[in-house]
Amino acid sequence: MERRRYDEDFKSEAVRLIKEGGRKVSEVSRNLGIHENMLYKWKKSLTDDGEDGYTAEEKAELRKLKKQLRDVTEGRDMLKKAMDIFSKAPI
């Protein structure tokens, strides 16, 4: 038995029917002829946690930017400490 493949447009439309159409997952999955678990998986992958509206790619970009910000902040803090140490008058 060959696995069926669905394109991103089909997946996003199915998820949209749930989120914006106010329809139940069971109803949409039955109408589309797919298993409910597959629809839940699509919903999660297209919005990462299913509720916040961010796609998985946007979440990955956000994680990358947060790490970058953390690294830059740590570097800045180290420079501040170094400036503080070297700017003190010798005793």
Side-chain angles (χ1 to χ4, degrees):
M1 183 171 167
E2 188 176 325
R3 284 179 86 169
R4 292 188 285 176
R5 302 215 181 257
Y6 302 96
D7 63 1
E8 290 300 315
D9 291 335
F10 182 84
K11 293 177 184 179
S12 60
E13 180 62 22
V15 171
R16 188 189 65 75
L17 288 172
I18 298 166
K19 292 179 78 173
E20 296 173 9
R23 297 168 70 186
K24 294 181 179 181
V25 172
S26 58
E27 178 187 350
V28 173
S29 66
R30 192 172 35 255
N31 290 341
L32 295 175
I34 57 176
H35 197 275
E36 287 181 36
N37 289 343
M38 187 177 292
L39 200 48
Y40 280 117
K41 182 181 172 187
W42 293 348
K43 182 179 177 188
K44 182 171 175 36
S45 71
L46 290 173
T47 59
D48 202 37
D49 68 359
E51 297 300 325
D52 65 4
Y54 293 111
T55 64
E57 293 83 19
E58 290 169 330
K59 284 284 194 173
E61 179 72 11
L62 187 58
R63 279 191 300 274
K64 177 183 158 201
L65 291 172
K66 282 183 178 183
K67 183 188 178 320
Q68 235 177 1
L69 178 60
R70 206 171 33 250
D71 293 345
V72 168
T73 303
E74 286 175 8
R76 181 206 60 203
D77 291 345
M78 280 194 272
L79 286 173
K80 279 184 178 180
K81 287 178 185 177
M83 288 282 293
D84 188 45
I85 290 169
F86 291 117
S87 64
K88 289 183 181 177
I91 297 176

